[in-house]
Amino acid sequence: MLNLLRLKLRNKVEFKGDNHKVLFSDRNRIRYCDISLRGNNNTLSFDNDVNLKGVTIEVDGNNCRVHIGKNTVIGEQTYLSCRGQDTKLTIGESCMFSRNVKIMTSDGHNIYHNKERINLDRSIFIGNKVWLADNCVVLKGNTIHDGAIIAINAVVTKDVPTGCIAAGNPASVVKTNIEWSEELG
């Protein structure tokens, strides 16, 4: 309970519904974030050494899961949204997300055709050591594989293979067989 109180001191945390879980370690740095869990049986979990500042996390639905892997850094004004039924947003280890990144498992509003919903929510998986640059968007149903880089202002609408750079709107692979380092210059 002490950890949850500390989390609330620096962040806005809202729970609506039943049986939500927030799991994190003392080694996380979570500051000035807006965290909301609505619905029932949702889980938000952080591995060790996750670093977030000024991030909005929205988990809205039933049995939704958001997991952020160890040593991941997520920049300010990033928006992580996991909505729906049994939907997952999984972020691997040692990822680096810049500012203003948007990741959404839903379109935000339901769309119907002949009374049947046509825009279902879909899970997102982001592998290990993925770099998302400023202002990029990752849309529902996609996987970004290990070691990939998503360029500034790119919109991910399909899977991105391991060790590739994807750029543009919609994002497409512009370079393969790459590796990236957190070291500057």
Side-chain angles (χ1 to χ4, degrees), residues 6-146:
R6 188 178 321 139
L7 180 67
K8 286 185 177 183
L9 288 175
R10 294 186 187 169
N11 301 284
K12 179 183 173 193
V13 181
E14 172 190 50
F15 296 100
K16 290 185 178 178
D18 296 314
N19 292 330
H20 299 302
K21 294 178 189 171
V22 178
L23 309 169
F24 60 99
S25 80
D26 286 332
R27 293 184 359 205
N28 297 134
R29 292 191 58 187
I30 302 169
R31 304 145 349 269
Y32 311 108
C33 293
D34 187 355
I35 299 170
S36 172
L37 284 88
R38 295 184 296 266
N40 297 302
N41 304 311
N42 297 314
T43 302
L44 171 60
S45 60
F46 306 92
D47 284 346
N48 289 330
D49 301 310
V50 169
N51 185 346
L52 283 70
K53 183 178 181 187
V55 174
T56 298
I57 301 174
E58 171 189 72
V59 186
D60 189 355
N62 296 309
N63 304 309
C64 294
R65 307 281 180 262
V66 174
H67 178 78
I68 301 174
K70 70 180 181 180
N71 299 316
T72 290
V73 176
I74 300 179
E76 292 186 73
Q77 303 302 313
T78 291
Y79 174 71
L80 305 176
S81 177
C82 183
R83 292 184 176 189
Q85 179 76 28
D86 302 312
T87 309
K88 295 178 184 172
L89 171 52
T90 304
I91 299 169
E93 298 178 0
S94 301
C95 291
M96 185 169 63
F97 296 2
S98 193
R99 296 168 296 275
N100 302 311
V101 170
K102 189 176 282 190
I103 302 172
M104 302 175 299
T105 64
S106 167
D107 296 328
H109 296 282
N110 300 341
I111 300 172
Y112 295 91
H113 176 70
N114 295 328
K115 299 186 181 190
E116 183 178 332
R117 185 167 174 205
I118 60 172
N119 67 330
L120 299 176
D121 307 315
R122 294 175 50 211
S123 297
I124 294 173
F125 178 79
I126 297 173
N128 298 320
K129 201 170 184 217
V130 169
W131 176 6
L132 303 181
D134 288 12
N135 302 312
C136 72
V137 176
V138 180
L139 298 177
K140 66 183 185 176
N142 292 296
T143 296
I144 301 174
H145 292 273
D146 295 350

Side-chain angles (χ1 to χ4, degrees), residues 163-184:
C164 290
I165 299 174
N169 183 2
S172 60
V173 172
V174 296
K175 192 73 128 174
T176 60
N177 299 315
I178 58 98
E179 294 181 31
W180 63 271
S181 170
E182 296 171 16
E183 297 175 19
L184 299 176

